[in-house]
């Protein structure tokens, strides 16, 4: 970093930054813990002067003892640093969203056999774990058997996984589906040295004909979730170019250190990665202090202006998702009436919510199809697009719908059909600055309409758990998917993630929206089947019909109300780092939360310290 008189330079004091952004003790603590400089390479990254090359990033993680190193997909509170996890545990490959092609990593090649209904995955030879052992097919098998125990979605398509030899894994499909490729290739592979026992138990369970709803299946799921390594440094072995520095983890930051045995360790030009812990309010002063090279947090409008004024570049990749209103239909039976959910949609100015939350990076949803407006023209014909209700802001339509549903207006306030006042609490993750603004604005708009909605922030690690357990009335959670360009994944997020199929991992039903529904347009619809069908088969043209069915059903039933589509306003500091992509580089079409372009370019040695 620049050697300035203070962490914000002469023009902006630490206290003033905390005052401007309301950061209080949390922000102050992180700044104090970080000191005036970060890493051995100075305030920022770099290392061209002969010291260690350090890349400084930011990602929220759960601090021990609650935070832990059971890193299996689906286990909550693990110390999983998001986009940086790919640098620790390799995926089979990463994807270029614009070019629609893969970059092979742990896997050398893969492919479908439609006749045999198999997907074959071949490991790259010579990749080592940090304990010196080879990465083999057994690691892939134990990972996916454990993922099955954790109810990961790919197992809706798969029936079996087995080794052909030490380098080759064969997945047998119930029915061929192109989305299987994404699920398998993007999965981070964990070591059988760590998860092999659970994998063997899973294999015994499933080959005996029992499933996860059996007593044995429930017990295995519970035990896998509850397992914690006694000595993470020995039990958690990695295969990427970095591993955890277990002794460096504090409330403020953790360090990833070079795993010299890891794949691509020779290509990555950094010796360490420092990740500062926290959500937007905590990370903001660090970005302003130029202690962070790259951050993907949802920064508010005023913050972004401060970044630009200090010469910090803003990257705007599409995120292909955003916040939505989720209804608890189990505890609030009035929300089961689709007219009520539609009324909520008509009562909200979505463009206002987006502007208040993220300015130009918050774009109101137009099609309400359940997946990104950017992708709709690729998947829905003009005729199918014409079937979609855009749910424009219209107070009269909202009023008519509630009246038809048996609600009555008394003065300025709505009364529910049972005669009680329509008063609700809307929860949102308090540390997400953009979603906090979203929640506050939505609560105000609905209250102005007479619905008496009060917003309440809940810590970001707890709020989605509360939603899954059904401990909410209204909630802000995510719609769409940043994880894949295929609409199937967006429908999974909309209909499964905080609903009956997946919320069961937390012992609840989430929004408790039944997946078998009656529709005016399509008749009886099984949404679980519709979502599966949206990814079924290997012919994309044939898939489009199934995607259209799921989109039309979602649009009519409106189980959640998407509000706006988020574009990143990623902070990128170029003082000591080179290689961030140009604004018109196609790699910026990648979602920053799936195939993160910074991580991909770091693997290739293109994002590197200056003068290295």
């Amino acid at each position: 970093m620049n050697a300035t008189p203070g962490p914000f330079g002469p023009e902006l004091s630490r206290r003033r930054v905390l005052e401007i952004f309301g950061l209080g003790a949390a922000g102050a603590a992180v700044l104090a813990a970080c000191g005036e400089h970060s890493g051995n390479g100075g305030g920022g990254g770099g290392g061209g002067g002969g010291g260690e090359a350090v890349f400084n990033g930011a990602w929220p993680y759960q601090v021990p003892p609650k935070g832990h190193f059971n890193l299996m997909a689906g286990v909550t509170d693990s110390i999983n640093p998001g986009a940086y996890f790919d640098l620790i545990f390799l995926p089979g490959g990463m994807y270029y969203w614009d070019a629609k092609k893969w970059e092979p990593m742990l896997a050398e090649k893969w492919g479908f056999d439609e006749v045999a209904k198999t997907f074959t995955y071949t490991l790259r030879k010579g990749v080592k774990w940090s304990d010196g052992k080879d990465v083999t097919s057994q690691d892939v098998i134990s990972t996916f058997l454990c993922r099955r125990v954790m109810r990961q979605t790919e197992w809706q398509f798969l029936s079996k996984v087995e080794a052909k030899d030490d380098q080759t894994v064969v997945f047998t499909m119930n029915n061929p589906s192109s989305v299987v490729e994404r699920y398998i290739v993007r999965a981070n592979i964990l070591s059988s040295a760590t998860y092999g026992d659970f994998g063997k138990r899973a294999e015994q369970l499933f080959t005996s004909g029992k499933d996860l709803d059996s007593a044995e299946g429930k017990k295995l799921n519970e035990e896998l979730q509850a397992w914690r390594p006694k000595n993470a440094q020995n039990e958690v072995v990695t295969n990427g170019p970095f591993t955890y520095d277990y002794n460096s983890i504090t409330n403020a930051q953790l360090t990833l250190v070079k795993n010299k045995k890891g794949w691509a360790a020779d290509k990555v030009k950094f010796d360490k990665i420092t990740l500062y812990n926290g959500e937007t309010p905590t990370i903001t002063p660090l970005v302003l202090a130029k202690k962070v090279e790259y951050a993907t947090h949802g920064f508010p409008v005023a913050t972004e202006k401060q970044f630009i004024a200090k010469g910090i570049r803003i990257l705007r990749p599409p995120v292909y998702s955003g916040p939505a209103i989720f209804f608890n239909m189990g505890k609030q039976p009035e929300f089961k009436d689709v007219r009520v959910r539609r009324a909520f949609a008509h009562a909200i100015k979505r463009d206002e919510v987006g502007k208040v939350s993220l300015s130009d990076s918050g774009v109101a949803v137009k099609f309400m199809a359940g997946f990104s407006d950017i992708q709709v023209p690729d998947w829905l014909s003009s005729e199918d697009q014409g079937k979609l209700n855009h749910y424009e802001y219209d107070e009269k339509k909202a009023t008519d719908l509630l009246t038809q549903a048996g609600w009555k207006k008394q003065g300025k306030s709505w009364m529910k059909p049972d005669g009680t006042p329509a008063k609700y609490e809307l929860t949102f993750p308090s540390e997400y600055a953009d979603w906090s603004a979203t929640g506050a604005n939505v609560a105000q708009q609905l209250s102005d309409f007479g619905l008496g909605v009060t917003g309440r922030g809940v810590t970001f690690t707890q709020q989605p758990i509360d939603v899954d357990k059904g401990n909410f009335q209204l909630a802000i959670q995510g719609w769409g998917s940043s994880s894949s360009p295929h609409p199937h994944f967006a429908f999974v997020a909309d209909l499964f993630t905080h609903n009956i199929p997946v919320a069961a991992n937390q012992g609840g039903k989430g929004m408790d929206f039944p997946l078998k529904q009656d529709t005016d347009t399509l008749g009886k619809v099984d949404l679980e089947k519709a979502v599966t069908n949206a990814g079924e088969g290997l012919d994309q043209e044939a898939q489009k019909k199934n995607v259209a069915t799921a989109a039309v059903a979602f649009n009519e039933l409106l189980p959640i109300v998407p509000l706006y589509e988020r574009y990143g306003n990623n902070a990128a500091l170029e003082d000591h780092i080179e290689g961030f992509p140009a604004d018109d580089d196609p790699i910026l079409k990648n979602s920053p939360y799936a195939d993160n372009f910074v991580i991909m370019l770091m693997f290739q040695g293109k994002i590197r310290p200056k003068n290295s």
Side-chain angles (χ1 to χ4, degrees):
M1 274 327 211
N2 296 339
T4 53
F8 299 98
E11 76 282 11
L12 198 59
S13 71
R14 174 181 306 189
R15 177 177 295 178
R16 180 58 183 145
V17 168
L18 296 176
E19 290 171 353
I20 289 172
F21 295 101
L23 302 175
V30 173
L31 280 171
C34 297
E36 296 302 311
H37 298 288
S38 148
N40 295 333
E52 287 187 313
V54 181
F55 182 92
N56 296 303
W59 201 275
Y61 59 85
Q62 187 66 259
V63 179
K66 187 175 183 181
H68 59 82
F69 284 98
N70 179 354
L71 298 161
M72 183 55 61
V75 176
T76 59
D77 295 324
S78 65
I79 303 178
N80 179 330
Y84 299 90
F85 197 65
D86 290 325
L87 293 167
I88 307 170
F89 296 96
L90 296 173
M94 297 180 76
Y95 194 68
Y96 295 98
W97 289 40
D98 185 68
K100 296 179 173 57
K101 68 176 185 178
W102 286 95
E103 179 80 29
M105 291 184 171
L106 181 61
E108 181 179 66
K109 60 181 180 179
W110 53 85
F112 289 98
D113 184 331
E114 190 167 6
V115 175
K117 296 185 178 180
T118 58
F119 181 84
T120 300
Y121 177 105
T122 303
L123 286 164
R124 185 185 298 275
K125 292 182 179 180
V127 182
K128 299 281 187 180
W129 291 106
S130 54
D131 63 3
K133 296 178 181 177
D134 291 332
V135 177
T136 71
S137 56
Q138 194 55 50
D139 301 305
V140 179
I141 289 173
S142 63
T143 295
F144 276 94
L145 286 171
C146 288
R147 287 174 65 92
R148 185 175 184 180
V149 173
M150 292 307 300
R151 300 176 185 271
Q152 296 302 293
T153 308
E154 68 264 18
W155 282 96
Q156 292 182 5
F157 302 96
L158 302 175
S159 60
K160 185 169 60 175
V161 56
E162 55 193 342
K164 183 177 179 181
D165 55 44
D166 282 349
Q167 301 300 123
T168 311
V169 181
V170 178
F171 295 84
T172 301
M173 297 177 283
N174 298 316
N175 50 356
S177 169
S178 64
V179 301
V180 165
E181 178 181 47
R182 179 77 190 181
Y183 279 121
I184 293 175
V185 177
R186 271 307 273 128
N188 301 88
I189 302 303
L190 308 184
S191 172
S192 61
T194 306
Y195 291 97
D197 288 343
F198 283 109
K200 289 176 183 176
R201 290 176 59 190
E203 186 174 26
Q204 291 168 0
L205 175 77
F206 299 125
T207 55
S208 72
K210 295 178 181 178
D211 59 23
L212 293 173
D213 292 325
S214 67
E216 295 88 344
K218 290 177 181 178
K219 181 181 179 182
L220 182 57
N221 174 279
E222 291 169 359
E223 290 183 5
L224 178 52
Q225 292 195 69
W227 177 78
R228 303 290 182 265
K230 294 178 181 178
N231 185 336
Q233 192 151 357
N234 292 331
E235 293 181 66
V236 179
V237 292
T238 64
N239 57 15
F242 289 91
T243 189
Y244 296 93
D245 179 353
Y246 296 92
N247 297 321
S248 76
I249 300 171
T250 68
N251 288 333
Q253 66 186 66
L254 65 78
T255 301
L256 303 178
V257 294
K258 206 65 167 286
N259 170 25
K260 294 182 179 179
K261 296 177 183 177
W263 183 75
D266 58 332
K267 293 182 180 179
V268 178
K269 304 303 181 184
F270 296 97
D271 302 302
K272 290 183 178 180
I273 296 176
T274 298
L275 296 178
Y276 293 109
N277 184 27
E279 264 302 333
T280 310
T282 304
I283 298 305
T284 295
L286 300 176
V287 177
L288 282 166
K290 295 193 172 183
K291 291 180 174 293
V292 172
E293 263 76 53
Y294 177 65
T296 61
H297 297 56
F299 296 106
V301 180
T303 304
E304 183 182 307
K305 291 179 179 178
Q306 290 286 334
F307 291 169
I308 294 170
K310 290 185 68 66
I312 297 169
R313 189 174 161 207
I314 303 297
L315 304 177
R316 297 190 190 278
V319 176
Y320 303 93
S321 66
I325 300 173
F326 280 66
F327 303 87
N328 190 333
M329 295 173 228
K331 292 187 177 179
Q332 306 295 142
E334 64 272 23
F335 293 151
K336 293 180 180 178
D337 191 323
V338 67
R339 294 171 295 188
V340 175
R341 303 193 297 272
R342 292 172 182 168
F344 272 68
H346 281 300
I348 296 170
K349 302 172 186 174
R350 298 194 297 274
D351 56 347
E352 178 182 307
V353 183
K355 287 291 183 185
V356 166
S357 303
L358 282 170
S359 188
D360 292 342
S361 290
V363 180
V365 177
K366 174 185 176 183
F367 289 110
M368 304 291 272
F371 64 101
S372 169
D373 283 349
I374 301 169
Q375 298 165 325
V376 164
D378 291 336
W379 288 92
L380 300 185
S381 67
S382 297
E383 181 182 354
D384 288 327
Q385 291 178 42
K387 298 175 184 177
L388 303 177
N389 185 339
H390 293 182
Y391 295 100
E392 297 93 344
Y393 172 70
D394 190 325
E395 283 198 8
K396 184 179 184 304
K397 284 185 179 179
T399 298
D400 290 345
L401 285 163
L402 287 183
T403 301
Q404 292 166 20
W407 296 44
K408 294 181 180 179
K409 198 86 177 274
Q410 286 189 2
K412 294 183 178 180
S413 300
W414 283 99
M415 308 297 288
K416 295 186 289 186
D418 63 3
T420 61
K423 292 185 178 180
Y424 302 102
E425 179 180 78
L426 173 70
T427 67
F428 49 82
S430 54
E431 293 86 352
Y432 294 4
D434 50 346
W435 283 17
S436 293
T438 296
N441 184 267
V442 167
Q444 185 62 58
Q445 287 197 50
L446 292 174
S447 294
D448 291 344
F449 179 63
L451 289 170
V453 176
T454 301
R456 180 171 71 90
V458 179
T459 187
F460 73 100
T461 54
Q462 183 62 39
Q463 195 253 359
I465 295 174
D466 288 346
V467 172
D468 285 350
K469 289 183 175 180
N471 298 331
F472 75 104
Q473 294 175 314
L474 296 168
I476 298 295
Q477 269 299 311
W479 69 271
S481 175
S482 301
S483 67
S484 170
H486 197 294
H488 161 82
F489 294 82
F491 294 131
V492 168
D494 299 338
L495 297 167
F496 296 174
T497 299
H498 296 297
N499 197 20
I500 299 160
V502 179
N505 279 330
Q506 295 295 337
K509 295 183 178 180
M511 61 180 176
D512 201 2
F513 177 70
L515 293 174
K516 292 184 178 179
Q517 294 279 336
D518 291 322
T519 68
D520 295 333
T521 309
L522 303 167
K524 292 185 180 296
V525 173
D526 182 335
L527 288 168
E528 186 165 9
K529 185 177 180 181
V531 172
T532 301
N533 289 349
E536 197 172 54
L538 305 181
D539 181 353
Q540 183 169 299
E541 290 304 312
Q543 285 182 349
K544 288 181 179 180
K545 295 179 181 179
N546 294 325
V547 169
T549 297
V552 170
F554 176 90
N555 182 266
E556 179 183 327
L557 296 168
L558 209 66
I560 61 177
V561 177
L563 295 165
Y564 61 84
E565 186 159 354
R566 182 185 162 203
Y567 285 72
N569 54 357
N570 298 176
L573 180 65
E574 297 179 306
D575 289 15
H576 299 276
I577 300 294
E578 62 186 5
F580 283 112
D583 291 340
D584 61 353
D585 191 319
I587 201 171
L588 276 178
K589 295 289 181 65
N590 279 27
S591 164
Y593 301 115
D595 302 282
N596 184 282
F597 45 87
V598 168
I599 303 303
M600 292 181 76
L601 295 173
M602 196 180 292
F603 265 115
Q604 298 166 18
K606 293 179 180 178
I607 286 185
R608 56 199 294 157
K610 284 187 176 178
N611 303 318
S612 64

